[in-house]
Amino acid sequence: MTDIIQLLPDHVANQIAAGEVVQRPASVVKELLENAIDAGADSIQLVVKDAGKTLIQVTDNGVGMSETDARLCFERHATSKIKNADDLFNLHTKGFRGEALASIAAIAHVTLKTKRENDEVGTSLTIEGSEVTAQEPAVVAKGTTVSVKNLFYNIPARRNFLKSNPVETRHIIDEFHRVALAHPQVAFSMTHNGSDVFQLQASNIRQRIVGIFGTKTNEKLVPVEEETDIVQVDGFVLKPEYAKKSRGEQFFFVNDRFIKSAYLNHAVQSAFEGLLKDGAHAGYFLFLKVPPKSIDINIHPTKTEIKFDDEHSIYAMLKATVKHSLGQFSVAPVLDFNKDTGFDTPYEYSKKQPKIPNVEVDRSFNPFRNEPSGRRTPSFSRPKQSSWESLCVETKDSGHFSTGIAQLEVESEEVTGTLFNETEKEPSRGTFQLQQKYIVSPIKSGLMVIHQHRAHQRILYEELLRNITVQEAVSQQLLFPLQLSFSTPDREILASITEQLEHTGFVFSEMEQEQVEISGIPVSISESKVEDILKQVIADIKEEVPDAGFSQNDLLAKSLAKSMAIKTGTVLQQAAQEHIIDQLFACKEPNVCPANRPVLLTMDSSDFDKKF
Ligand code: ADP
Ligand code: MG
């Protein structure tokens, strides 16, 4: 029998290797940024088009390459960073495998332009599917530019597998964050489709965090610092009250390399014990320095996991250090000389009883009557509110029923609904509310119990989806536009859904840097809730389950409906209860909420008969 084993041709081997190194555009971004750092650059520019599917380009002012190296760097296992196996245990660079450029060149159109400081001319090289198609001298500045075009052009299956542009862009931004945070002394910029996403000057860690996550982050940071024989820790944790439900800002860096470690995350999380609400995740930016010999970064192909020699000691030390910092922080407010005293109650007022404001009400006003009501008190008439909202009162005290006019004295902002006069309504259908959670309605065959929050979600969801996809909703113009600030990645997400949001009634008048100005909002939400609602939408999009098969419009409508729907604990006047029932049964699918949970159940009177 003849021998059957052959060596694979290089370009095939490279394509196979590429599967491991390059999963998506963000992987290319990571490799190119890390190469630029390893080349000693102090200024790095990232240019991306179409979420990296069309172009990813990184320009650095690092050491550059000779003509020969420019060609060699695309060979597999070609690296200048290690020479023998021992070097693996004393790594000071990000790369060492010599695989990245070879892999990228196997699955994209790549051009490289590079020049060393003392060379007169540089080199320009074009490579497609591992084949060098052109090489010539080029007049370029010191440093290197690598352009990667048409990623996966020769592997359609991989290209089709890529997610939507917002999702891929998010991955790119994540990688950009990791490298930029690890190297605050390096200036970075990023542009996407021609517009600036980040412009980060060389700075310190605090400024870098603020540069990325927005100026508001500054006041949330609690410094962490400790040095022992085995590890040096510095960085910041976020004050407990800023912990999020989603694992947003969690960054560990070991020797300036971003890593993931469930074990160390646990250490930090447990240092926050007792300070976090249920289900909240601590936020942190922690930089660990350990002797390179004491770690093995080799255990994971994409290198975000590492192995420490002395993991237990690092755990204990990290937990103690973070706890200590939080302890110091909790005494800090007492010594806080920067506190804004403007909100303190002046001495002479501090013992006075609050005066109950006098409110004039038109008791005969009925929002369901079309005829104009002459004596409407202007401050309580918000004609642009949707009818359901104008009928309900939110109360935090669940045992407390809103009885109408009497409530006006307490919550002047939320009381529009109580203007509704019980004696003037249409003949009742006999609905009532149970535990401020269910609407119970007699029906021919017995009883129907409706989950008010889910029912309202269903109503809003169908309405929003209609608005987003087919017709635009009306919007209420704000007299004073709202100024909201978002971190850059959040703003990117917001930018990707502005059009849909505008269909629901939002009007974005400006989107600059961190500031977003909103001059119109959907009629069915109140101004005070806008920020929470948008943040929730962004968080939901971030957590979007890939491959769930739902469109972004659907996700958006669900998310908005969830945060806009009346909650359990909201008192509904009779007319509001009936209105919800009517709207619910005008829906296409009244039986389930957008998350597919039951909205209502019915009980036959024969069921009662059995019980008696
Ligand atoms: P690795 O980074 O693991 O060594 P790469 O495939 O990423 O492997 O790069 C191969 C080699 O090409 C590097 O070792 C380095 O010598 C050279 N190189 C890559 N990018 C740059 C750059 N931006 N500036 C200078 N040299 C570079
Ligand atoms: Mg590399």
Side-chain angles (χ1 to χ4, degrees):
M1 250 226 243
T2 51
D3 299 329
I4 50 171
I5 297 179
Q6 315 177 14
L7 280 177
L8 288 174
D10 269 357
H11 70 274
V12 180
N14 284 341
Q15 251 191 39
I16 294 169
E20 216 170 69
V21 183
V22 186
Q23 279 109 24
R24 53 178 9 132
S27 333
V28 174
V29 169
K30 171 180 189 280
E31 294 297 339
L32 297 186
L33 291 177
E34 290 191 346
N35 278 348
I37 295 282
D38 284 345
D42 60 18
S43 174
I44 300 174
Q45 289 88 44
L46 168 66
V47 175
V48 176
K49 283 202 181 123
D50 300 328
K53 295 171 185 172
T54 312
L55 173 74
I56 298 162
Q57 178 178 298
V58 171
T59 300
D60 68 57
N61 62 353
V63 291
M65 282 178 263
S66 70
E67 196 187 331
T68 318
D69 283 351
R71 209 167 169 125
L72 249 183
C73 72
F74 291 105
E75 295 292 326
R76 208 137 67 91
H77 307 306
T79 180
S80 55
K81 297 169 194 174
I82 57 170
K83 294 200 166 55
N84 52 51
D86 284 350
D87 292 346
L88 270 178
F89 303 100
N90 195 18
L91 282 171
H92 293 276
T93 54
K94 302 269 173 290
F96 60 91
R97 290 181 167 80
E99 273 178 339
L101 289 181
S103 300
I104 295 167
I107 48 158
H109 297 139
V110 179
T111 49
L112 166 75
K113 290 192 164 69
T114 188
K115 188 179 95 72
R116 294 181 299 183
E117 180 148 39
N118 296 325
D119 289 345
E120 243 162 57
V121 287
T123 307
S124 166
L125 192 132
T126 312
I127 185 162
E128 287 176 13
S130 299
E131 297 279 325
V132 177
T133 53
Q135 175 164 4
E136 56 200 358
V139 180
V140 286
K142 173 210 164 196
T144 304
T145 297
V146 181
S147 313
V148 177
K149 292 180 198 145
N150 311 321
L151 191 67
F152 298 131
Y153 77 100
N154 51 359
I155 317 180
R158 294 293 299 277
R159 205 174 158 86
N160 294 337
F161 185 72
L162 293 177
K163 299 279 183 295
S164 67
N165 283 4
V167 173
E168 293 299 343
T169 307
R170 205 163 69 230
H171 284 287
I172 290 178
I173 290 178
D174 282 348
E175 291 297 351
F176 181 87
H177 282 168
R178 293 167 183 179
V179 181
L181 284 168
H183 300 278
Q185 72 288 359
V186 176
F188 285 90
S189 71
M190 172 176 169
T191 64
H192 185 210
N193 292 337
S195 53
D196 281 354
V197 183
F198 293 101
Q199 281 290 353
L200 305 169
Q201 310 302 318
S203 58
N204 58 27
I205 297 177
R206 184 188 272 273
Q207 286 165 336
R208 179 55 49 95
I209 295 171
V210 169
I212 292 176
F213 294 101
T215 35
K216 276 196 180 162
T217 320
N218 199 16
E219 68 211 42
K220 303 180 187 171
L221 301 174
V222 180
V224 175
E225 224 180 306
E226 184 63 272
E227 193 169 350
T228 68
D229 289 346
I230 50 162
V231 58
Q232 177 198 329
V233 180
D234 60 346
F236 299 90
V237 290
L238 291 182
K239 290 179 187 172
E241 63 263 39
Y242 297 110
K244 289 185 181 165
K245 280 255 156 61
S246 56
R247 295 171 179 271
E249 282 121 32
Q250 299 190 327
F251 294 90
F252 279 123
F253 298 92
V254 174
N255 297 354
D256 298 336
R257 184 192 297 276
F258 171 82
I259 62 141
K260 282 185 186 154
S261 166
Y263 186 63
L264 295 186
N265 175 61
H266 191 271
V268 178
Q269 189 76 16
S270 56
F272 274 79
E273 212 177 306
L275 299 171
L276 298 176
K277 286 191 208 133
D278 268 1
H281 298 283
Y284 50 84
F285 305 87
L286 292 170
F287 297 77
L288 282 67
K289 293 250 160 32
V290 295
K293 282 192 180 60
S294 72
I295 49 169
D296 179 2
I297 55 175
N298 227 343
I299 60 167
H300 196 273
T302 42
K303 299 176 280 185
T304 50
E305 282 160 24
I306 65 169
K307 204 167 154 353
F308 296 91
D309 282 355
D310 198 354
E311 214 170 28
H312 296 305
S313 311
I314 295 182
Y315 180 101
M317 191 270 192
L318 198 59
K319 182 173 168 183
T321 308
V322 172
K323 232 187 169 130
H324 179 71
S325 298
L326 288 170
Q328 281 190 326
F329 149 70
S330 71
V331 298
V334 184
L335 306 167
D336 192 353
F337 298 109
N338 295 327
K339 197 175 148 218
D340 186 350
T341 50
F343 295 108
D344 289 348
T345 315
Y347 178 70
E348 65 265 36
Y349 286 111
S350 63
K351 296 222 169 66
K352 281 196 179 171
Q353 284 296 314
K355 202 173 148 219
I356 296 170
N358 199 8
V359 182
E360 265 191 41
V361 187
D362 175 6
R363 285 165 194 260
S364 65
F365 168 54
N366 178 347
F368 287 100
R369 286 243 169 108
N370 283 336
E371 69 244 71
S373 163
R375 285 193 300 128
R376 253 157 88 168
T377 317
S379 57
F380 291 112
S381 61
R382 287 165 69 180
K384 277 179 173 169
Q385 273 190 325
S386 76
S387 49
W388 67 265
E389 206 197 30
S390 66
L391 288 169
C392 58
V393 182
E394 202 164 300
T395 127
K396 270 135 213 130
D397 174 6
S398 55
H400 174 88
F401 273 83
S402 157
T403 49
I405 310 297
Q407 299 293 307
L408 282 175
E409 291 147 9
V410 215
E411 284 190 321
S412 55
E413 240 194 284
E414 298 264 21
V415 292
T416 355
T418 51
L419 285 172
F420 181 67
N421 194 327
E422 292 275 324
T423 58
E424 295 232 347
K425 64 185 182 327
E426 305 290 314
S428 163
R429 285 190 244 159
T431 63
F432 62 91
Q433 215 183 355
L434 198 65
Q435 294 170 342
Q436 297 168 10
K437 184 172 184 186
Y438 301 106
I439 301 169
V440 183
S441 171
I443 51 172
K444 242 192 216 155
S445 60
L447 264 188
M448 182 165 59
V449 183
I450 295 170
H451 192 292
Q452 66 186 47
H453 176 58
R454 291 184 193 166
H456 198 215
Q457 269 191 65
R458 162 55 61 185
I459 296 165
L460 290 173
Y461 165 73
E462 292 199 4
E463 182 185 317
L464 286 161
L465 201 59
R466 223 172 15 248
N467 289 338
I468 295 173
T469 51
V470 193
Q471 65 186 71
E472 296 189 15
V474 268
S475 136
Q476 51 173 322
Q477 291 301 308
L478 300 175
L479 199 54
F480 302 104
L482 277 175
Q483 300 281 349
L484 300 180
S485 63
F486 292 90
S487 66
T488 315
D490 282 2
R491 209 199 56 234
E492 274 277 303
I493 293 179
L494 199 62
S496 73
I497 51 170
T498 2
E499 199 181 321
Q500 289 107 314
L501 286 172
E502 285 182 342
H503 283 196
T504 70
F506 283 97
V507 180
F508 297 91
S509 35
E510 235 177 275
M511 266 206 192
E512 289 235 333
Q513 301 293 345
E514 294 158 13
Q515 285 292 322
V516 171
E517 191 181 277
I518 299 173
S519 57
I521 58 177
V523 285
S524 48
I525 66 176
S526 70
E527 207 175 317
S528 58
K529 303 228 170 81
V530 171
E531 184 164 10
D532 286 347
I533 289 176
L534 290 179
K535 294 219 155 127
Q536 186 59 48
V537 167
I538 292 169
D540 285 348
I541 291 191
K542 276 190 193 157
E543 304 222 318
E544 177 189 12
V545 191
D547 290 333
F550 292 113
S551 72
Q552 186 146 354
N553 290 348
D554 190 78
L555 180 84
L556 190 66
K558 273 188 189 145
S559 169
L560 283 171
K562 195 170 76 198
S563 28
M564 286 161 64
I566 48 160
K567 307 277 182 300
T568 296
T570 306
V571 175
L572 299 170
Q573 302 293 319
Q574 183 108 40
Q577 299 169 18
E578 290 170 7
H579 193 61
I580 286 182
I581 297 176
D582 290 345
Q583 284 191 303
L584 178 66
F585 287 101
C587 285
K588 283 190 195 136
E589 279 188 65
N591 290 318
V592 287
C593 75
N596 250 338
R597 297 214 195 86
V599 168
L600 55 93
L601 60 87
T602 55
M603 284 182 197
D604 255 34
S605 48
S606 60
D607 293 338
F608 297 123
D609 293 341
K610 280 183 212 145
K611 302 257 176 203
F612 286 101

Coordinates of all heavy atoms in Angstrom, one line a residue, residues 6-65:
Q6 N 0.0 13.5 3.5 CA 0.7 14.5 2.8 C 0.7 15.8 3.7 O -0.1 15.9 4.6 CB -0.1 15.0 1.6 CG -0.6 13.9 0.7 CD -1.4 14.6 -0.5 OE1 -1.3 15.8 -0.7 NE2 -2.1 13.8 -1.2
L7 N 1.7 16.6 3.5 CA 1.7 17.9 4.2 C 0.7 18.8 3.4 O 0.7 18.9 2.2 CB 3.1 18.5 4.1 CG 4.0 18.0 5.2 CD1 5.4 18.6 5.0 CD2 3.5 18.2 6.6
L8 N -0.1 19.6 4.2 CA -1.0 20.5 3.5 C -0.3 21.7 2.9 O 0.7 22.1 3.5 CB -2.0 21.0 4.6 CG -3.1 20.1 5.1 CD1 -3.9 20.7 6.2 CD2 -4.0 19.6 3.9
P9 N -0.7 22.2 1.8 CA -0.1 23.4 1.2 C -0.2 24.5 2.2 O -1.2 24.5 3.0 CB -0.9 23.7 0.0 CG -1.7 22.5 -0.3 CD -1.8 21.7 0.9
D10 N 0.7 25.5 2.2 CA 0.7 26.5 3.2 C -0.6 27.3 3.2 O -1.1 27.6 4.3 CB 1.8 27.5 2.9 CG 3.1 27.1 3.6 OD1 3.0 26.2 4.4 OD2 4.1 27.8 3.4
H11 N -1.1 27.6 2.0 CA -2.3 28.5 2.1 C -3.5 27.8 2.7 O -4.4 28.4 3.4 CB -2.7 29.0 0.7 CG -3.2 28.0 -0.3 ND1 -2.4 27.3 -1.0 CD2 -4.5 27.6 -0.6 CE1 -3.1 26.4 -1.8 NE2 -4.4 26.7 -1.5
V12 N -3.5 26.4 2.6 CA -4.6 25.7 3.3 C -4.4 25.6 4.8 O -5.3 25.9 5.6 CB -4.7 24.2 2.7 CG1 -5.8 23.5 3.4 CG2 -5.0 24.3 1.2
A13 N -3.1 25.4 5.1 CA -2.8 25.3 6.6 C -3.1 26.7 7.2 O -3.6 26.7 8.3 CB -1.3 25.0 6.7
N14 N -2.8 27.8 6.5 CA -3.0 29.1 7.0 C -4.5 29.4 7.2 O -4.9 30.0 8.2 CB -2.4 30.2 6.1 CG -0.9 30.2 6.3 OD1 -0.4 29.8 7.3 ND2 -0.3 30.8 5.3
Q15 N -5.3 28.9 6.2 CA -6.7 29.1 6.3 C -7.3 28.4 7.5 O -8.2 28.9 8.3 CB -7.4 28.6 5.1 CG -8.0 29.8 4.2 CD -8.9 29.3 3.1 OE1 -9.7 28.4 3.3 NE2 -8.8 29.9 2.0
I16 N -6.8 27.2 7.8 CA -7.3 26.4 8.9 C -6.9 27.1 10.2 O -7.7 27.3 11.1 CB -6.7 24.9 8.9 CG1 -7.3 24.2 7.7 CG2 -7.0 24.2 10.2 CD1 -6.6 22.9 7.4
A17 N -5.6 27.6 10.2 CA -5.1 28.3 11.5 C -5.9 29.5 11.7 O -6.2 29.9 12.8 CB -3.7 28.6 11.3
A18 N -6.3 30.1 10.5 CA -7.1 31.4 10.6 C -8.4 31.2 11.4 O -8.8 32.1 12.1 CB -7.3 32.0 9.2
G19 N -9.0 30.0 11.2 CA -10.2 29.8 11.9 C -10.1 30.0 13.4 O -11.0 30.4 14.1
E20 N -8.9 29.7 13.9 CA -8.7 29.8 15.4 C -8.4 31.2 15.8 O -8.9 31.7 16.8 CB -7.5 28.9 15.8 CG -7.8 28.3 17.2 CD -6.8 27.2 17.5 OE1 -5.6 27.6 17.7 OE2 -7.2 26.1 17.5
V21 N -7.6 31.9 14.9 CA -7.2 33.2 15.3 C -8.2 34.3 15.0 O -8.5 35.2 15.8 CB -5.8 33.6 14.6 CG1 -5.4 35.0 15.0 CG2 -4.8 32.6 14.9
V22 N -8.8 34.2 13.8 CA -9.8 35.2 13.4 C -11.2 34.7 13.4 O -11.6 34.0 12.5 CB -9.4 35.7 12.0 CG1 -10.3 36.9 11.6 CG2 -8.0 36.1 11.9
Q23 N -11.9 35.0 14.4 CA -13.3 34.6 14.5 C -14.2 35.6 13.8 O -15.3 35.3 13.3 CB -13.8 34.4 15.9 CG -13.4 33.0 16.5 CD -12.3 33.2 17.5 OE1 -12.2 34.2 18.1 NE2 -11.6 32.1 17.7
R24 N -13.8 36.9 13.9 CA -14.7 38.0 13.5 C -13.8 39.2 13.3 O -12.7 39.2 13.7 CB -15.8 38.2 14.5 CG -15.2 38.4 15.9 CD -16.3 38.7 16.9 NE -17.6 38.5 16.4 CZ -18.6 37.9 17.1 NH1 -18.3 37.3 18.2 NH2 -19.7 37.8 16.5
P25 N -14.4 40.3 12.7 CA -13.6 41.5 12.5 C -12.8 41.9 13.8 O -11.7 42.4 13.7 CB -14.6 42.5 12.1 CG -15.7 41.8 11.4 CD -15.7 40.4 12.2
A26 N -13.5 41.8 14.9 CA -12.9 42.3 16.2 C -11.5 41.5 16.5 O -10.6 42.1 17.0 CB -13.8 42.1 17.3
S27 N -11.4 40.3 16.0 CA -10.2 39.5 16.3 C -9.1 40.2 15.5 O -7.9 40.3 16.0 CB -10.3 38.1 15.8 OG -11.6 37.6 15.9
V28 N -9.3 40.7 14.3 CA -8.3 41.3 13.5 C -7.9 42.6 14.2 O -6.7 42.9 14.3 CB -8.8 41.6 12.0 CG1 -7.8 42.4 11.2 CG2 -9.2 40.3 11.3
V29 N -8.9 43.4 14.6 CA -8.6 44.6 15.3 C -7.7 44.3 16.5 O -6.7 45.0 16.7 CB -9.9 45.3 15.8 CG1 -9.6 46.4 16.8 CG2 -10.7 45.7 14.6
K30 N -8.0 43.3 17.3 CA -7.1 43.0 18.4 C -5.7 42.7 18.0 O -4.8 43.3 18.6 CB -7.7 41.8 19.2 CG -6.9 41.2 20.2 CD -7.5 40.0 20.9 CE -6.8 39.5 22.1 NZ -5.7 38.7 21.8
E31 N -5.5 41.8 17.0 CA -4.2 41.5 16.6 C -3.4 42.6 16.1 O -2.2 42.8 16.4 CB -4.3 40.3 15.6 CG -4.8 39.0 16.0 CD -4.0 38.4 17.1 OE1 -2.8 38.7 17.3 OE2 -4.5 37.5 17.9
L32 N -4.1 43.5 15.3 CA -3.3 44.6 14.7 C -3.0 45.6 15.8 O -1.9 46.2 15.8 CB -4.1 45.3 13.6 CG -4.4 44.4 12.3 CD1 -5.1 45.2 11.3 CD2 -3.2 43.8 11.8
L33 N -3.9 45.9 16.7 CA -3.6 46.9 17.8 C -2.5 46.3 18.6 O -1.6 47.1 19.0 CB -4.8 47.1 18.6 CG -6.0 47.9 18.0 CD1 -7.2 48.0 18.9 CD2 -5.5 49.3 17.5
E34 N -2.5 45.1 18.9 CA -1.4 44.5 19.8 C -0.1 44.5 19.1 O 0.9 44.8 19.7 CB -1.8 43.1 20.2 CG -3.0 43.1 21.2 CD -3.2 41.7 21.8 OE1 -2.7 40.7 21.3 OE2 -3.9 41.7 22.8
N35 N -0.1 44.3 17.8 CA 1.2 44.4 17.0 C 1.7 45.8 17.1 O 3.0 46.0 17.2 CB 1.0 44.0 15.6 CG 1.0 42.4 15.4 OD1 1.4 41.7 16.3 ND2 0.6 42.0 14.2
A36 N 0.8 46.8 17.0 CA 1.3 48.2 17.1 C 1.9 48.5 18.4 O 2.9 49.2 18.5 CB 0.1 49.1 16.7
I37 N 1.2 48.0 19.5 CA 1.8 48.2 20.8 C 3.2 47.5 20.9 O 4.1 48.1 21.4 CB 0.8 47.6 21.9 CG1 -0.5 48.3 21.9 CG2 1.5 47.5 23.3 CD1 -0.5 49.6 22.6
D38 N 3.2 46.3 20.5 CA 4.5 45.6 20.5 C 5.6 46.3 19.8 O 6.8 46.2 20.1 CB 4.4 44.1 20.0 CG 3.7 43.2 20.9 OD1 3.5 43.6 22.1 OD2 3.2 42.1 20.5
A39 N 5.2 47.0 18.7 CA 6.2 47.8 17.9 C 6.6 49.1 18.6 O 7.3 49.9 18.0 CB 5.6 48.1 16.5
G40 N 6.1 49.3 19.8 CA 6.5 50.5 20.6 C 5.9 51.8 20.2 O 6.4 52.8 20.5
A41 N 4.8 51.7 19.5 CA 4.1 53.0 19.0 C 3.6 53.7 20.2 O 3.2 53.2 21.2 CB 2.9 52.6 18.1
D42 N 3.5 55.1 20.1 CA 2.8 55.8 21.1 C 1.6 56.6 20.5 O 1.0 57.4 21.2 CB 3.7 56.8 21.9 CG 4.4 57.8 21.0 OD1 3.9 58.0 19.9 OD2 5.4 58.4 21.5
S43 N 1.3 56.3 19.3 CA 0.1 56.8 18.7 C -0.4 55.8 17.7 O 0.3 55.4 16.8 CB 0.5 58.1 18.0 OG -0.6 58.6 17.3
I44 N -1.7 55.4 17.9 CA -2.3 54.4 17.0 C -3.6 54.8 16.5 O -4.5 55.2 17.3 CB -2.4 53.1 17.9 CG1 -1.0 52.6 18.4 CG2 -3.1 52.0 17.1 CD1 -1.0 51.4 19.3
Q45 N -3.8 54.6 15.2 CA -5.1 55.0 14.6 C -5.8 53.8 14.1 O -5.2 53.0 13.3 CB -5.0 56.0 13.5 CG -4.6 57.4 14.0 CD -3.1 57.6 14.1 OE1 -2.4 57.1 13.2 NE2 -2.6 58.1 15.2
L46 N -7.1 53.6 14.5 CA -7.9 52.5 13.9 C -9.0 53.1 13.0 O -9.7 54.0 13.4 CB -8.5 51.7 15.1 CG -9.6 50.7 14.7 CD1 -9.0 49.5 13.9 CD2 -10.2 50.1 16.0
V47 N -9.1 52.6 11.8 CA -10.1 53.0 10.9 C -10.9 51.8 10.5 O -10.4 50.7 10.1 CB -9.5 53.6 9.6 CG1 -10.6 54.0 8.6 CG2 -8.7 54.9 10.0
V48 N -12.2 51.9 10.7 CA -13.1 50.7 10.4 C -14.2 51.2 9.4 O -14.8 52.3 9.6 CB -13.7 50.2 11.7 CG1 -14.7 49.1 11.5 CG2 -12.6 49.8 12.7
K49 N -14.6 50.3 8.5 CA -15.7 50.5 7.7 C -16.7 49.3 7.7 O -16.2 48.2 7.7 CB -15.3 50.7 6.2 CG -14.7 52.1 6.0 CD -14.8 52.5 4.5 CE -14.1 53.9 4.4 NZ -13.0 53.9 3.5
D50 N -17.9 49.6 7.8 CA -19.0 48.5 7.8 C -18.6 47.5 8.8 O -18.6 46.3 8.5 CB -19.1 47.9 6.4 CG -19.5 48.8 5.4 OD1 -20.2 49.8 5.7 OD2 -19.1 48.7 4.2
A51 N -18.4 47.9 10.1 CA -18.2 47.0 11.2 C -17.0 46.1 10.9 O -16.9 45.0 11.4 CB -19.4 46.2 11.5
G52 N -16.1 46.6 10.1 CA -14.8 45.8 9.8 C -15.0 44.8 8.7 O -14.0 44.2 8.3
K53 N -16.2 44.7 8.2 CA -16.4 43.7 7.1 C -15.8 44.2 5.8 O -15.4 43.4 5.0 CB -17.9 43.5 6.9 CG -18.6 42.9 8.1 CD -20.1 42.8 7.9 CE -20.8 42.3 9.2 NZ -22.2 42.5 9.2
T54 N -15.7 45.5 5.6 CA -15.1 46.1 4.4 C -13.7 46.5 4.6 O -12.8 46.2 3.8 CB -15.9 47.3 3.9 OG1 -17.3 47.0 3.9 CG2 -15.5 47.8 2.6
L55 N -13.4 47.1 5.7 CA -12.0 47.6 6.0 C -11.7 47.7 7.5 O -12.5 48.2 8.3 CB -11.8 49.0 5.4 CG -10.5 49.7 5.7 CD1 -9.3 49.0 5.0 CD2 -10.5 51.2 5.5
I56 N -10.5 47.2 7.8 CA -10.0 47.4 9.1 C -8.5 47.9 8.9 O -7.8 47.2 8.2 CB -9.9 46.1 10.0 CG1 -11.3 45.6 10.2 CG2 -9.2 46.4 11.3 CD1 -11.3 44.1 10.7
Q57 N -8.2 49.1 9.4 CA -6.9 49.6 9.1 C -6.3 50.1 10.4 O -6.9 50.9 11.1 CB -7.0 50.7 8.1 CG -5.6 51.3 7.8 CD -5.8 52.4 6.7 OE1 -6.2 52.1 5.6 NE2 -5.5 53.6 7.0
V58 N -5.0 49.7 10.7 CA -4.4 50.2 11.9 C -3.0 50.9 11.4 O -2.3 50.3 10.7 CB -4.1 49.1 12.9 CG1 -3.2 49.6 14.0 CG2 -5.4 48.6 13.4
T59 N -2.9 52.1 11.9 CA -1.6 52.8 11.6 C -0.9 53.1 12.9 O -1.5 53.6 13.8 CB -1.9 54.2 10.9 OG1 -2.6 53.8 9.6 CG2 -0.7 54.9 10.5
D60 N 0.4 52.8 12.9 CA 1.1 53.1 14.1 C 2.4 53.9 13.8 O 2.8 53.9 12.6 CB 1.4 51.8 14.9 CG 2.4 50.9 14.2 OD1 3.5 51.3 13.9 OD2 2.1 49.7 14.0
N61 N 3.0 54.4 14.8 CA 4.3 55.1 14.6 C 5.4 54.3 15.3 O 6.3 54.9 15.9 CB 4.3 56.6 15.1 CG 4.0 56.7 16.6 OD1 3.7 55.6 17.2 ND2 4.0 57.8 17.1
G62 N 5.3 53.0 15.3 CA 6.3 52.2 16.0 C 7.5 51.9 15.1 O 7.8 52.7 14.2
V63 N 8.3 50.9 15.4 CA 9.6 50.7 14.8 C 9.6 50.4 13.3 O 10.6 50.5 12.7 CB 10.4 49.5 15.5 CG1 10.8 49.9 16.9 CG2 9.6 48.2 15.5
G64 N 8.5 49.9 12.8 CA 8.4 49.6 11.4 C 9.2 48.3 11.1 O 9.7 47.6 12.0
M65 N 9.2 47.9 9.8 CA 9.9 46.7 9.4 C 10.8 46.9 8.2 O 10.5 47.8 7.4 CB 8.8 45.6 9.0 CG 8.2 44.9 10.2 SD 6.9 43.8 9.6 CE 5.4 44.7 9.8

